[in-house]
Amino acid sequence: MIADDNADFVTTLVEHLSKENDMEVIGIARDGKEACEKAINLKPDVLLLDVIMPYLDGLGVLEKI
């Protein structure tokens, strides 16, 4: 799962990860609140988390999940 408010970066990262046979992006979040909700519901193996996001920063997301 990717949590980042920079749409261009997310698009580039998804394109890159989609070329990997053993990686699948199961969710994208644009802010900290959405990142918490999706991480709890989707239970990703890996969460790429931006530190500075609207509503709740990356450290706040980690504390909540």
Side-chain angles (χ1 to χ4, degrees):
M1 184 177 137
I2 301 170
D4 198 308
D5 59 328
N6 183 327
D8 291 333
F9 177 71
V10 170
T11 300
T12 301
L13 193 52
V14 168
E15 288 173 2
H16 179 73
L17 292 174
S18 68
K19 295 175 185 174
E20 299 296 322
N21 293 329
D22 58 349
M23 298 287 289
E24 177 185 3
V25 178
I26 62 168
I28 297 171
R30 303 286 185 206
D31 60 59
K33 182 180 174 190
E34 184 181 11
C36 282
E37 293 168 0
K38 287 190 174 184
I40 290 168
N41 292 327
L42 297 173
K43 296 178 179 31
D45 291 330
V46 176
L47 172 58
L48 298 174
L49 184 61
D50 188 11
V51 175
I52 300 171
M53 291 185 292
Y55 306 116
L56 187 63
D57 66 11
L59 296 176
V61 171
L62 288 176
E63 289 175 5
K64 280 195 144 201
I65 60 172

